[in-house]
Amino acid sequence: MHSVTLFALAAPLAALALPSGSLLTRQELQSINELFVAKGKEYFGTCSDQNLLSNQQNAAIIQTAFGAVTPENSMKWDQIQPTQGQFNWDGPDFLMDWAETNGKIVRGHTLVWHSQLAGWVNSVTDPAALTEVIQTHIAEVMGRYKGRIYHWDVVNEMWNEDGTMRDSVFSQVLGEDFVRIAFEAARAADPDAKLYINDYNLDTADSPKTQAMINNVNKWVEAGVPIDGIGTQAHLTGGMGSGVAGAVAALAGANVAEVAITELDIAGAAAEDYVAAVDACVQEPKCVGVSVWGVRDTDSWRADTSPLLFDDSYQPKDAYTQLIASLS
Ligand code: XIL
């Protein structure tokens, strides 16, 4: 019979003719962003940059599955203002244009951070000079993309594990006042952006670091520092997924409008860890979004732990399938 013959031929031909990343594969991939938004959340995103957005298979997954992008490196200080007064806009412009062409939200990352900091900033020793350096950096970077970036990670990783303030040029020269200076500059540069303080190892509700974040944010917000949200990076090891709900609820108990999971990746990518971590955001009314820190294991900063939702061949892993099922 013709129909049987045709059917028998069609499937292997389609499989042979269409590489992954093709239209057929993309149609089959379900969007985690759509399901997450249907739960009342704002976005489910990932990080990327020009190199990976120019990779068609990777870009196709982001187009289909995710609703937001965070620049993985291109907006960091050492890349965007490596020399005082000289700004590199190519990488960030590429990401912004790609996001707008494809209808994705952008989370800006990151303005004041001790790491991936341009060397010249470390030699500023005068408080007034460093204040101006911070203000100029924020005005230039946020100003260029004013009205186009949804969230900004204004201050990143300022706490030690014991809840004390991390040693950096910012804390050494300005004490904790660098936080006020940065957030006030950020509000002035783009009043529409939601302003975040972001950190890692906020994965246990009662740890000294989590408590320092909550208590100090409360103190600063009370004093009028314009902080809108707390970001928890959530770089986890296997088995930690079940703790995320308590940690996110504790952070949401701070005097901020919202919280987000900003850089989720989980060593081993066990489905139950991913489902529990994402469910923590679903269950917390103040949690607006989740971003995973990359698409495919190969491209992860923790590649040796295979922590992401897609394998080296761009195929969704069990964790992705289980997330789709849990959100459906
Ligand atoms: C990482 C990037 O993924 C790497 O490509 C880069 O070499 C180092 O930084 N916390 C953060 C992110 O806030 O910016 C870091 O991203 C991971 C830890």
Side-chain angles (χ1 to χ4, degrees):
M1 280 173 63
H2 282 297
S3 58
V4 171
T5 310
L6 280 174
F7 179 78
L9 266 174
L13 275 180
L16 282 172
L18 294 164
S20 59
S22 69
L23 192 59
L24 183 69
T25 309
R26 274 187 277 145
Q27 282 170 345
E28 287 169 347
L29 181 65
Q30 270 192 280
S31 169
I32 191 168
N33 181 64
E34 269 174 30
L35 294 173
F36 202 56
V37 168
K39 296 279 180 195
K41 300 297 163 180
E42 296 179 0
Y43 63 86
F44 195 106
T46 186
C47 70
S48 205
D49 258 325
Q50 180 165 6
N51 55 338
L52 289 171
L53 294 172
S54 305
N55 166 332
Q56 290 312 310
Q57 286 179 297
N58 187 73
I61 292 174
I62 302 177
Q63 283 165 328
T64 302
F66 295 104
V69 286
T70 305
E72 184 170 12
N73 289 297
S74 66
M75 290 187 187
K76 292 172 179 175
W77 198 315
D78 65 348
Q79 299 221 6
I80 208 165
Q81 195 188 178
T83 304
Q84 186 163 19
Q86 288 182 14
F87 292 85
N88 279 335
W89 302 120
D90 289 358
D93 281 358
F94 186 96
L95 178 125
M96 280 302 310
D97 291 346
W98 190 92
E100 286 170 349
T101 301
N102 290 284
K104 309 302 181 193
I105 284 169
V106 175
R107 290 198 84 258
H109 177 83
T110 181
L111 295 163
V112 174
W113 187 26
H114 70 280
S115 183
Q116 293 179 272
L117 179 61
W120 64 270
V121 181
N122 283 311
S123 50
V124 180
T125 54
D126 175 61
L130 187 59
T131 299
E132 203 186 319
V133 162
I134 293 170
Q135 289 169 338
T136 301
H137 184 74
I138 291 176
E140 289 287 331
V141 176
M142 285 187 73
R144 184 173 181 89
Y145 305 111
K146 185 178 180 186
R148 299 162 66 192
I149 295 195
Y150 192 56
H151 289 177
W152 263 106
D153 291 331
V154 177
V155 169
N156 196 32
E157 301 186 351
M158 68 166 292
W159 303 112
N160 292 316
E161 298 310 308
D162 66 359
T164 58
M165 198 165 43
R166 181 194 293 278
D167 189 33
S168 70
V169 66
F170 305 111
S171 64
Q172 276 175 21
V173 175
L174 294 165
E176 69 172 51
D177 203 34
F178 82 85
V179 177
R180 179 192 62 80
I181 292 163
F183 276 92
E184 287 182 353
R187 184 67 95 218
D190 187 352
D192 293 330
K194 301 277 173 58
L195 306 181
Y196 273 70
I197 182 167
N198 194 50
D199 218 317
Y200 65 98
N201 279 352
L202 303 177
D203 307 308
T204 317
D206 56 3
S207 75
K209 188 171 188 174
T210 304
Q211 289 301 312
M213 176 66 102
I214 294 167
N215 294 335
N216 283 284
V217 164
N218 285 342
K219 179 188 72 186
W220 290 322
V221 168
E222 173 82 9
V225 178
I227 302 172
D228 298 310
I230 299 177
T232 172
Q233 294 181 9
H235 296 294
L236 307 179
T237 53
M240 287 176 74
S242 58
V244 177
V248 166
L251 296 170
N255 189 16
V256 284
E258 57 187 62
V259 299
I261 297 176
T262 54
E263 303 180 13
L264 179 64
D265 55 16
I266 310 178
E272 62 178 350
D273 281 324
Y274 263 106
V275 168
V278 171
D279 189 55
C281 186
V282 172
Q283 299 301 329
E284 171 48 58
K286 278 189 180 179
C287 186
V288 298
V290 172
S291 303
V292 289
W293 206 241
V295 173
R296 169 177 85 126
D297 285 334
T298 321
D299 301 315
S300 166
W301 75 308
R302 303 170 74 197
D304 56 332
T305 71
S306 302
L308 294 176
L309 295 173
F310 291 82
D311 69 17
D312 298 350
S313 310
Y314 301 97
Q315 298 306 306
K317 292 160 67 175
D318 186 43
Y320 191 81
T321 311
Q322 297 296 323
L323 279 173
I324 294 293
S326 77
L327 294 167
S328 293

